[in-house]
Amino acid sequence: MYTAGQIEDAVIERLKSQIPGLRECASLARFLAAKGVDRDGERLLSPAVYVVYSRGKYSHAWNGVQDREMFFNVVAMVENLRGDVAARHGEGSETGAYELIEAVRAALSGEQCGLDVDPLAPVSEEAIRGDATMAMYGITFRTSCRFAI
């Protein structure tokens, strides 16, 4: 069985290796600890993706094993001083949030990230936050693993 942290780390490494041009790829906890939820006028590292284990669900079998269904959120953030449309759509050679969230989906869909877990499957995506120069979107992936009690 793998811990949530081990899977989170494997997902981060997969994203780092598959999405060129990221200025940051880390745990969401690292982003929150370093910058806080509010930007306070500080420029974001952009484009960036952050990964966080969001929840799990257990099912119990009578034969001494448990299955844990796990959900991981990946937050894609882009800041573009040309405005919110450029942040979402990109401009010229600059990546937009829509392109970044698609790159995340492509990099993780069907992957096990070197672990003995069910392949990652996208579940949902949504807008999280945005303003005049920044767009933040999230995509949730599901996996599961089995372990002995």
Side-chain angles (χ1 to χ4, degrees):
M1 175 183 108
Y2 298 99
T3 66
Q6 289 171 315
I7 297 172
E8 182 178 286
D9 289 344
V11 168
I12 290 168
E13 290 307 311
R14 171 75 183 172
L15 292 170
K16 284 180 180 178
S17 73
Q18 295 298 306
I19 303 177
L22 287 176
R23 296 214 33 228
E24 186 163 45
C25 182
S27 167
L28 184 61
R30 179 168 178 235
F31 169 75
L32 295 174
K35 298 183 191 257
V37 176
D38 296 319
R39 291 180 4 205
D40 295 329
E42 184 177 346
R43 299 261 340 257
L44 296 169
L45 290 176
S46 172
V49 294
Y50 299 97
V51 180
V52 64
Y53 173 63
S54 64
R55 68 187 184 280
K57 180 180 173 184
Y58 290 88
S59 60
H60 303 275
W62 293 106
N63 60 358
V65 298
Q66 289 180 329
D67 289 322
R68 179 167 62 172
E69 184 177 37
M70 303 171 79
F71 295 87
F72 291 85
N73 291 333
V74 180
V75 177
M77 297 190 324
V78 174
E79 183 174 48
N80 192 314
L81 297 178
R82 291 181 184 91
D84 67 317
V85 173
R88 286 181 286 112
H89 295 271
E91 189 168 299
S93 64
E94 296 174 339
T95 300
Y98 296 158
E99 180 183 348
L100 185 54
I101 202 79
E102 179 59 25
V104 168
R105 187 206 56 76
L108 295 179
S109 290
E111 290 297 323
Q112 294 174 283
C113 301
L115 304 175
D116 186 20
V117 296
D118 285 351
L120 290 161
V123 175
S124 63
E125 58 187 30
E126 64 183 315
I128 296 174
R129 183 175 171 188
D131 62 26
T133 62
M134 186 267 298
M136 184 185 304
Y137 284 80
I139 183 168
T140 301
F141 288 87
R142 178 206 163 279
T143 187
S144 62
C145 59
R146 175 166 281 181
F147 55 95
I149 299 176

